[in-house]
Amino acid sequence: MKKLGLHEVKKEFLDFFKEKDHLVEKSFSLVPKNDKSLLLINAGMAPLKPYFTGEVEPPRRRMATCQKCVRTGDIENVGKTDRHATFFEMLGNFSFGDYFKEEAIEFAWEFMTERLEVPKDKIWVTIFEDDDESFKIWNEKIGIEDKKIVRLGKEDNFWELEVGPCGPCSEIYIDRGEKHGCGKETCKPGCECDRYVEVWNLVFSQFDKDENGNYNNLTNKNIDTGMGLERMAAVLEGADNIFEVGEIKKVISEVERTTGISYGKDKKTDESIRVVTDHIRAMTFLISDGVLPSNEGRGYVLRRLIRRAARHGKLLGIEGAFLSELSSFIIKLWSEDYPELRENEVKIKKVIKVEEEKFQETIDQGINILDAYIKETKEKGEVVLSGDKAFKLYDTYGFPLDLTREILEEKNLKVDENEFNIEMEEQRNRARKAREGVGNGAWSKDDFSHRFKSFNTTFRGYEDIKLSSEVLGIFLEDEKVSKISEGEEGIILLNETPFYGEGGGQVGDTGTIKGDNFEALVLDTKKTKDNVIFHFVKVLSGEIEDGKEAVSQVDISRRNDIARNHSATHLLHKALKDVLGDHVNQAGSIVLPNRLRFDFTHFEGINENDLAKIEQIVNEKILEQLEVSTIETTLEEAKKMGATALFDEKYGGKVRVVKMDDYSMELCGGTHIDNTGKIGLFKILSESGIASGVRRIEAITGRAVYGYLLETEGQIDCVSKVLKTNRKDVVEKAKDLTEELKEKEKEIESYKGKMASSLADEIINEKRVINGINVVTYSVQNMDMNELRNLGDEVKNSLESGIIVLASVSDDKVSFVTMVTKDLVDSGYHAGKIIKEVSAVTGGKGGGRPDMAQAGGKDPKKVNEALELVDKLI
C-alpha cells in the first residue's frame, strides 16, 4: 500500500475522478443552504440532495468532492474511544442518472488497487442480502472470491429515509490481519472486532420509496459514495486509529507542547487530549463557515464544542484561554486545501477567545458548586443528582446540562433529566405568562386572520399613497357586520390599499379612509400570512357600509419617517459587515417612525472606535445621495445578483430586491425612500447585547436626529449655566471641578480616618471582659458598610485579643460588622456564626468568615437588643 497522508489521499482521489470525467467541486459550507432538515452538513451527499431528487439540474452528471462534515450525535464518546470524532472529511463520487453499479464498483476497485496500491487479497466487500447484481459484478467482473463477498441485511446494507430515493449499499473493507481480530472462525466484515475496517460505502439509489412503503424503480438511477478520509489515511499509514494519522498526530503534538503532558501514558489525559484535538478542528471550520456561538441550533453545537474543549484543557492543567492560539495551528495545517481558513483567521481566533473567556468566568464557580452537590449526593448514598440542582446550575450560573452530565458520569453518577426538563418547561411557562398582555392583544392579527381567508386584497402602496377602492368587508368586535358608525372602532378590508401592513419589522401605516358620508382614522394596518391586508379604524363621522367606495390616504409624513429608518437599516447592515466582517447577519429589526432597532449576529460588544466608524460610513452613504431602486425577480436570480437575504427563510416565487447604487442590495418587501440623501442624518443611540451572539443597535434618522440635536444643545446650555461658564469652555470647567472634587474627597477621607481613630479609642474604652474574653459592642450613626468595616479594623488593631460587634443605622437601614482576633478564631469562635444570630434580631441575614463577617438588618429599633445578645452568645 502507498504510504499517503490526509492531503495526499485527497489529491489522489479527486485527481482520479477528474480523469474519469467527474466535475470536481470544492467542499460546500458546513452550514446547509435551503435545507432545514439538517443542522450541519454531515455527509458528502448532503449538499447535493437537490441533484439527487431532481429539484435542481446538476452542473454535470458526474461529480466528486471532498466534503468537510460535522456529526455530534456521539459527542460524549469523543475522546473516550479511538474512533469517534465530530469533524471529518468525506471523499465521494456521485452520478446523477449517468453511470450505475458496474461503473461505480469498477471505479472503486481501480482506485483502491491501482492508485492506492491496496493488495487485492486484503479487500473484502459487503452487499445487501438480495442484491445478486452487485454480487455478480464483484465476483465475475472484478474477480473477488465468493467467501470475501458478505451478504448483510437491510440494517447494514440498505440506505433509505422515510420516503424518497433509496437503495442497496456495497461497503469495501480492508483486512488488517489476524492480530487485530477476535480469533473466531466466523470473523468477517460485520464482526464487532477491529480486524476489518470499512473504508468506502457505495450507495446504489435505484428505488423511490412512497408513503405506503412501496419501492418503485427510479427512472434515473443514482450513485452516492462516501469514503472517510481520515480512516483511509489511517489504514494506509498503518495507524491504529484516526488520532495517529500524520496531520492529526501533529495537532496532538501541539496539545502536548501546550500542556506539557505526553500522549499515550495515561487513559484519562489521553481522553482529554483527544477531545481538544478533535474539537479544535471542528470549531475552527465551523466559525470559518459563519457559525457563531449561541444557545440554540448550530450555534449551540459550536458553543458546546468550545466549552467541552476548554474544560478538558483545564483537566490537563491549562490555566486561562488557550484554544484561540491552538486554532492557528489548525489553520496552518489545513489552509492549503481550505484557503478560507486563512482569510477568516482573525475572526476565528477572536470568536474562540471571546467564547472561551466567557466560559472561564463561569466554569470555576459552576464546578465548585457541582462538586458540593456531588459530595452531598454521595453522602446520602444516592447515584442520581436531582434535576432542580442541575437546573439551578444552568439557570443561575450558565452551566450547561451536557457538561453537568459529563462530569457526573466521570463520578459514576447520573442526573435526573426528566426533572431538569420539567424545571425548564416551568421557566418557559413563566416567561410566556410574563409576555402575555404585552402590546394590545385586541389588535393582534392572529386573532382575526382565520376570518379573512376568503378575501383578496392588493397592496398598491409602493406607487400610490392615495387611492380609490371598494370596501370588501367590515368587522366589529370579531364579528362580520354590514356597517360601522361614528365613534365605533373596527376592521376594514379594501380590494386595493395604499396602506402598508406590518411586516418585515416595519410597522403598519396610518392615515384616513373617506367616503361620501363618512370619515375614518386608520389607527394601524396589518396583514395575514396570506398577505390579506386589514385596517384598524375609528369612525370619526358618518357610517361605513360594506361595498361602498372609499378614498384611502396614507399619512405621508409618518410614512416618509418610516422609509428613512428602513433604508437606514440597509445601510447599517452593510456598514456592520464592512467594519466587523461578513459573519454579521440580520437577526431581527423594528422600523418605527421615530427610531429603528437592528439586531445582528456578532460575538462581542462593539468598541467605541468601530461604532463611530459604522455611524460615519452610514452618514457618508447618505451624503453621497445614492439612488435607491427596486427590482422584482426570482429568488435564484436574486442570489446570483448577490442580494443579501436570510436564505433559510421562505420566500415566494417573486422577490423584491432593494438596491442602493453599488453599495447595498437586499431582499426586502418594505417601503423605502428613492435616494439615500433623503434620510438626512443617522445617529446611533445605543449598542447592547440581547442574547448570546446577538447584538442590538438602536438609532434615529431625519427629523428625529434634528430633535435629538436640539435637545442636546439645550442640555449643554443648561450645564453651562449650572457651571457658570460659556458653552465653549464647559468641558474644561467640568474637568477643573472634577479635580477639585477629588481633592475635597481626599480631605474628607483623611478627616474620616482621624475621626475613626478617635472614635476607635472611645469604643475601646467601652470594652468589657466576659469569660476572660475582651468584648466590644458599639452602635454608630450614618456609616455605610465600608466605613463600618474600616472602623472595625481600627478597633481590632488596637485590641490584641477580643471580639468586636459594631452596628450602624443609616436611612432606616441597619448594618453589622463582626470581627474576631486570630487567637480566638483558633479557639473556635466564629464571626460568621455570631453575626448570623445578631442580625436575625433585627430581621436581617448575614454571614462570613471566622475572622470577619457582615450583615444587614431591617428594624433599627432593635439594634440595641441585638448588641445585648452578643454577651449571651459568648
Side-chain angles (χ1 to χ4, degrees), residues 190-236:
C191 182
E192 292 297 317
C193 73
D194 293 331
R195 176 172 177 173
Y196 298 95
V197 179
E198 182 220 326
V199 292
W200 205 346
N201 186 15
L202 315 179
V203 179
F204 311 125
S205 295
Q206 63 189 85
F207 303 115
D208 183 13
K209 185 181 177 184
D210 63 27
E211 293 177 355
N212 298 318
N214 299 313
Y215 295 94
N216 307 301
N217 286 316
L218 278 171
T219 306
N220 293 320
K221 297 182 170 101
N222 303 316
I223 291 294
D224 157 27
T225 84
M227 174 193 283
L229 174 60
E230 291 84 354
R231 192 177 291 186
M232 190 69 243
V235 170
L236 294 175

Side-chain angles (χ1 to χ4, degrees), residues 597-655:
R597 192 175 83 192
F598 191 78
D599 300 341
F600 56 97
T601 54
H602 188 52
F603 46 85
E604 64 178 346
I606 305 175
N607 63 51
E608 288 183 9
N609 288 338
D610 283 345
L611 205 59
K613 198 182 296 182
I614 290 160
E615 184 178 274
Q616 180 186 349
I617 289 171
V618 175
N619 279 302
E620 283 175 355
K621 296 305 171 185
I622 289 170
L623 294 173
E624 285 176 20
Q625 301 183 46
L626 306 178
E627 182 184 347
V628 180
S629 58
T630 57
I631 305 161
E632 280 203 358
T633 184
T634 63
L635 181 60
E636 285 304 313
E637 282 302 313
K639 287 182 185 179
K640 289 177 185 175
M641 290 164 61
T644 300
L646 301 174
F647 286 116
D648 286 342
E649 294 295 316
K650 286 198 178 291
Y651 293 94
K654 286 282 185 182
V655 294

Side-chain angles (χ1 to χ4, degrees), residues 570-583:
H570 287 219
L571 294 177
L572 174 61
H573 192 182
K574 184 63 168 64
L576 285 164
K577 285 179 177 286
D578 288 347
V579 175
L580 304 179
D582 283 335
H583 66 277

Side-chain angles (χ1 to χ4, degrees), residues 163-181:
V163 294
C166 57
C169 312
S170 182
E171 295 175 329
I172 300 174
Y173 286 77
I174 294 179
D175 181 0
R176 299 169 69 204
E178 290 182 6
K179 65 178 180 178
H180 294 281

Side-chain angles (χ1 to χ4, degrees), residues 339-504:
E340 64 270 20
L341 291 175
R342 183 69 67 198
E343 293 165 13
N344 293 314
E345 182 169 9
V346 173
K347 179 183 79 172
I348 291 167
K349 292 180 69 174
K350 197 164 188 179
V351 170
I352 293 174
K353 190 170 189 292
V354 169
E355 182 64 22
E356 190 179 7
E357 286 175 349
K358 278 184 194 172
F359 187 52
Q360 293 290 350
E361 291 170 10
T362 61
I363 189 171
D364 289 333
Q365 189 177 19
I367 285 177
N368 288 338
I369 294 165
L370 181 54
D371 284 344
Y373 288 162
I374 290 170
K375 184 181 178 184
E376 182 185 330
T377 303
K378 285 189 171 181
E379 284 174 354
K380 291 179 181 177
E382 297 173 353
V383 293
V384 179
L385 179 72
S386 68
D388 67 318
K389 283 186 169 67
F391 181 75
K392 185 178 180 183
L393 272 171
Y394 165 79
D395 194 41
T396 308
Y397 304 103
F399 211 71
L401 176 64
D402 50 73
L403 191 52
T404 299
R405 186 194 301 122
E406 191 169 312
I407 293 171
L408 288 172
E409 284 177 2
E410 292 168 4
K411 309 288 184 182
N412 296 315
L413 299 175
K414 293 181 179 180
V415 61
D416 188 336
E417 294 193 34
N418 286 334
E419 191 178 357
F420 177 91
N421 292 331
I422 290 168
E423 292 281 345
M424 179 70 85
E425 187 58 34
E426 285 179 0
Q427 186 202 54
R428 291 192 186 108
N429 289 334
R430 287 192 294 271
R432 284 190 204 104
K433 286 177 182 175
R435 290 194 298 269
E436 282 175 8
V438 176
N440 190 337
W443 298 82
S444 169
K445 65 184 179 185
D446 295 329
D447 292 342
F448 302 99
S449 58
H450 64 285
R451 285 168 165 52
F452 301 153
K453 286 184 178 177
S454 60
F455 293 92
N456 185 17
T457 65
T458 304
F459 176 60
R460 302 288 187 201
Y462 293 135
E463 303 84 17
D464 301 304
I465 57 153
K466 186 176 181 179
L467 195 67
S468 293
S469 53
E470 178 189 343
V471 177
L472 286 184
I474 303 171
F475 286 80
L476 185 63
E477 295 181 355
D478 204 18
E479 294 296 328
K480 192 174 186 309
V481 296
S482 60
K483 63 182 179 180
I484 53 173
S485 305
E486 182 177 329
E488 291 182 318
E489 294 187 18
I491 292 175
I492 297 279
L493 286 90
L494 304 169
N495 66 331
E496 295 185 324
T497 180
F499 291 93
Y500 180 85
E502 180 182 320

Side-chain angles (χ1 to χ4, degrees), residues 98-114:
D98 186 20
Y99 61 83
F100 198 48
K101 287 184 186 178
E102 188 168 333
E103 294 92 333
I105 290 172
E106 286 176 345
F107 287 155
W109 181 256
E110 182 183 344
F111 179 72
M112 293 287 288
T113 59
E114 295 183 21

